[in-house]
Amino acid sequence: MNTATALPSNPSPAAVEFALLQSWLASSSALRLPLHHIESQQADKGREVQRLLLQNHLQQRGTGDVAPALLVPTGGEELLYSHRRLGTRRLITVFGAVELIRMGYSRPGVPSIFPLDQALALPARSFSYELQRRLVKAAAQNPFLESVQTIAELTGVSVSKRSLEEILPHAAQDFDVFYRQRPPDPASGSLLVAAVDCKGIPVVKPVAARPALRLTKGQKANKKRMATVATVFTRAPWVRTPQQVLESLFPTSRRTSSDKSMPPRPENKRVWASLLKGKTAVIREVAEEMDRRDQSRSLTRVALADGERALQIRVKLKLNVTLILDLMHVLEKLWKAAYVLHAEGSLEADLWVLDRTLRILLGEVGQVVKGIRQTITKRGLSGAKRKTMEAVAGYFHRNRARMQYDEYLANGWPIASGPVEGACKNLIRDRMERSGMRWTEPMAEAIVKLRAIYLSGDFDHYWEFHIEQDQQRLYPAVWTVVPK
């Protein structure tokens, strides 16, 4: 049984569409449908009601006809924009496409001015800021094609993958300014910790660099380029003994919840990465971030890094901190040495690593180096085995000044760069290294920035800031009206 919906004498298109939706929901055909079909069709019909409501609202905003002419200050003089013409602009919103009829003011040789665009804070692109926000947020999490398909399913609005790719670099351009101007949040920890690492991103070679013929042995069609990953956070000290650290690395018994000593959580952690800036520029940004958080220089500053000499030199020069070698990289070297001497997965290899780890944590790095070198001589190692053992011993010897773990633990300082390793995983590996993915360098730079904002929980704040900055770029001139 159909139910008629009463309409006003001169209904708006939105009112008509809403009445049709109500009538359809009450119709005999709809009453026989399963709920999931009702949901799907109601969503489609409801979007059209929303679109018409927005269209009606925009019509009520007028055309932006503010005066017979405008005076616009340019280069120390005021230019008269006296030619007026109504034009139509199509804008794609989260409800669908709408049209604006707006007045344009122009003069020869310069772009026109549309007061209605400025009043509505419209973007330069044909996609509304809200639609762009949803697209960018989706792309920070998932592949581009999946992102546009998700938005199409949720909103009914189809956006091409190419359009999304054009939006993303523009959306990321205010990343640096956003963090430079943002005041630091209060933190209670007395340690200011930085960590820097590098992570490869698979990039597409320039067309000119691609081989024309069959690839030779060892050649690859694409390669990885190293992005510099950084994190800065505040933390309370956490004093531990070497034995406690060893137990956490090599648990010998099942631990209960009462046995676990929970580490203090990082406060106000910020992570970011860059493919294009290079190590020096990113480390300079780390220094700026640390100074921004600790203007009085009252906090204890430490930094963690791996054994890459070039990275260590830059960190030491720019940050003026106590530099600590990440313990996880030490363990990697110990396992390499252990598998030279013992079979992989054997109890002997495990015990060898456990013993050397404890000695290193106790501050006996020199003794461990001496023992490795003596092993090379006593066992008469040669070839690849000798080379591996000598490399491990040399690595520890070069980094012994950054391996004073007994002192670091007594001070409550961190000795492993878990946050930056997590950043490498979350920022890059989980998004940039999915099967078959290859990136151009500008697009990779945009995505790591936007993903850093998203993972930090700052995305909505950043988007509002991006709109403000974009509006200043689009509408820099302050015009005045010229009355009749």
Side-chain angles (χ1 to χ4, degrees):
M1 175 178 172
N2 293 339
T3 302
T5 302
L7 289 171
S9 57
N10 187 22
S12 68
V16 172
E17 193 67 28
F18 181 70
L20 290 173
L21 174 57
Q22 283 187 308
S23 297
W24 175 78
L25 285 168
S27 67
S28 56
S29 60
L31 291 173
R32 291 194 295 270
L33 292 175
L35 178 60
H36 61 279
H37 285 176
I38 294 291
E39 287 180 292
S40 176
Q41 295 185 49
Q42 183 178 339
D44 292 339
K45 297 174 187 294
R47 290 191 194 105
E48 179 61 11
V49 175
Q50 295 271 49
R51 189 192 71 80
L52 290 171
L53 285 170
L54 180 59
Q55 181 69 73
N56 184 64
H57 169 81
L58 293 173
Q59 289 171 355
Q60 293 180 27
R61 299 290 288 262
T63 63
D65 185 357
V66 294
L70 300 179
L71 276 176
V72 181
T74 304
E77 60 177 334
E78 288 189 321
L79 300 180
L80 182 66
Y81 284 62
S82 57
H83 182 70
R84 302 193 307 158
R85 184 173 65 179
L86 284 174
T88 302
R89 178 180 180 182
R90 186 171 183 266
L91 187 69
I92 302 174
T93 73
V94 293
F95 305 122
V98 294
E99 288 189 346
L100 296 90
I101 299 175
R102 79 260 212 260
M103 183 66 72
Y105 293 79
S106 63
R107 62 176 286 119
V110 293
S112 298
I113 291 177
F114 299 94
L116 183 61
D117 288 15
Q118 187 169 355
L120 291 169
L122 298 185
R125 298 182 182 277
S126 60
F127 304 103
S128 71
Y129 280 125
E130 177 58 21
L131 180 58
Q132 290 186 50
R133 184 187 72 83
R134 298 187 188 193
L135 286 164
V136 170
K137 195 170 186 178
Q141 304 170 66
N142 299 304
F144 296 161
L145 185 59
E146 183 179 328
S147 299
V148 296
Q149 289 172 343
T150 298
I151 296 302
E153 185 174 343
L154 292 175
T155 67
V157 177
S158 294
V159 178
S160 70
K161 177 173 169 282
R162 183 182 181 88
S163 295
L164 173 59
E165 290 172 344
E166 292 172 350
I167 289 170
L168 290 168
H170 182 82
Q173 67 179 317
D174 298 310
F175 176 88
D176 295 325
V177 180
F178 173 72
Y179 280 107
R180 277 199 299 266
Q181 60 81 42
R182 196 172 188 199
D185 295 325
S188 58
S190 61
L191 291 177
L192 185 56
V193 184
V196 184
D197 205 345
C198 294
K199 178 67 176 172
I201 296 177
V203 298
V204 179
K205 285 184 178 180
V207 175
R210 292 179 182 173
L213 301 176
R214 185 175 182 271
L215 298 177
T216 60
K217 185 178 180 181
Q219 272 190 312
K220 295 183 179 180
N222 301 286
K223 62 179 181 179
K224 283 189 175 183
R225 180 169 171 184
M226 300 305 288
T228 308
V229 185
T231 182
V232 176
F233 58 91
T234 308
R235 207 199 77 174
W238 186 34
V239 177
R240 291 176 293 167
T241 65
Q243 289 76 12
Q244 287 174 317
V245 174
L246 194 71
E247 176 63 26
S248 67
L249 294 171
F250 306 96
T252 56
S253 61
R254 185 181 298 275
R255 302 178 69 191
T256 65
S257 57
S258 59
D259 296 330
K260 295 179 181 178
S261 174
M262 296 302 294
R265 295 184 63 83
E267 298 178 287
N268 303 334
K269 182 173 71 173
R270 181 194 164 194
V271 298
W272 72 101
S274 178
L275 186 71
L276 300 179
K277 291 178 181 177
K279 297 181 180 70
T280 300
V282 172
I283 292 170
R284 188 185 306 118
E285 292 176 353
V286 171
E288 292 170 357
E289 180 70 15
M290 296 182 86
D291 288 340
R292 188 175 70 89
R293 294 175 178 230
D294 182 28
Q295 296 179 14
S296 63
R297 303 192 70 85
S298 59
L299 302 179
T300 301
R301 300 188 180 196
V302 299
L304 295 111
D306 62 15
E308 183 187 342
R309 186 64 179 150
L311 190 63
Q312 290 177 345
I313 291 172
R314 289 178 172 91
V315 170
K316 193 69 175 177
L317 275 175
K318 297 290 182 182
L319 301 190
N320 191 25
V321 295
T322 300
L323 181 58
I324 300 172
L325 180 66
D326 180 7
L327 182 65
M328 295 300 104
H329 291 273
V330 172
L331 289 176
E332 289 176 9
K333 300 296 183 182
L334 286 175
W335 283 113
K336 281 186 179 181
Y339 292 149
V340 168
L341 304 174
H342 307 286
E344 290 193 28
S346 65
L347 177 61
E348 291 80 6
D350 294 349
L351 292 175
W352 191 92
V353 172
L354 190 148
D355 176 70
R356 272 67 182 179
T357 302
L358 179 59
R359 289 163 67 182
I360 287 173
L361 290 171
L362 289 169
E364 300 174 5
V365 179
Q367 293 300 314
V368 171
V369 171
K370 182 179 178 181
I372 292 174
R373 288 174 173 166
Q374 287 177 347
T375 299
I376 296 172
T377 303
K378 290 178 179 178
R379 296 202 178 193
L381 298 179
S382 60
K385 291 184 176 181
R386 183 184 187 95
K387 185 177 179 180
T388 298
M389 295 293 281
E390 287 178 343
V392 172
Y395 179 88
F396 290 159
H397 181 73
R398 287 192 306 274
N399 287 284
R400 62 192 183 281
R402 293 171 282 277
M403 296 173 64
Q404 301 174 33
Y405 297 118
D406 53 332
E407 296 181 17
Y408 307 150
L409 292 173
N411 292 331
W413 296 352
I415 59 173
S417 56
V420 77
E421 295 292 340
C424 289
K425 174 183 179 297
N426 297 325
L427 269 184
I428 295 177
R429 193 183 75 187
D430 291 352
R431 177 65 182 89
M432 316 294 288
E433 294 189 277
R434 299 188 191 185
S435 178
M437 284 189 174
R438 296 294 182 269
W439 299 86
T440 63
E441 292 180 0
M443 186 59 69
E445 183 79 358
I447 286 295
V448 295
K449 286 180 177 179
L450 293 168
R451 188 163 174 83
I453 295 167
Y454 171 74
L455 293 175
S456 66
D458 293 333
F459 187 85
D460 290 336
H461 294 297
Y462 171 77
W463 194 253
E464 288 299 320
F465 178 79
H466 168 66
I467 292 175
E468 292 173 6
Q469 297 295 110
D470 203 38
Q471 289 292 294
Q472 292 176 19
R473 288 187 288 265
L474 288 173
Y475 311 112
V478 181
W479 42 263
T480 56
V481 301
V482 178
K484 292 182 180 179

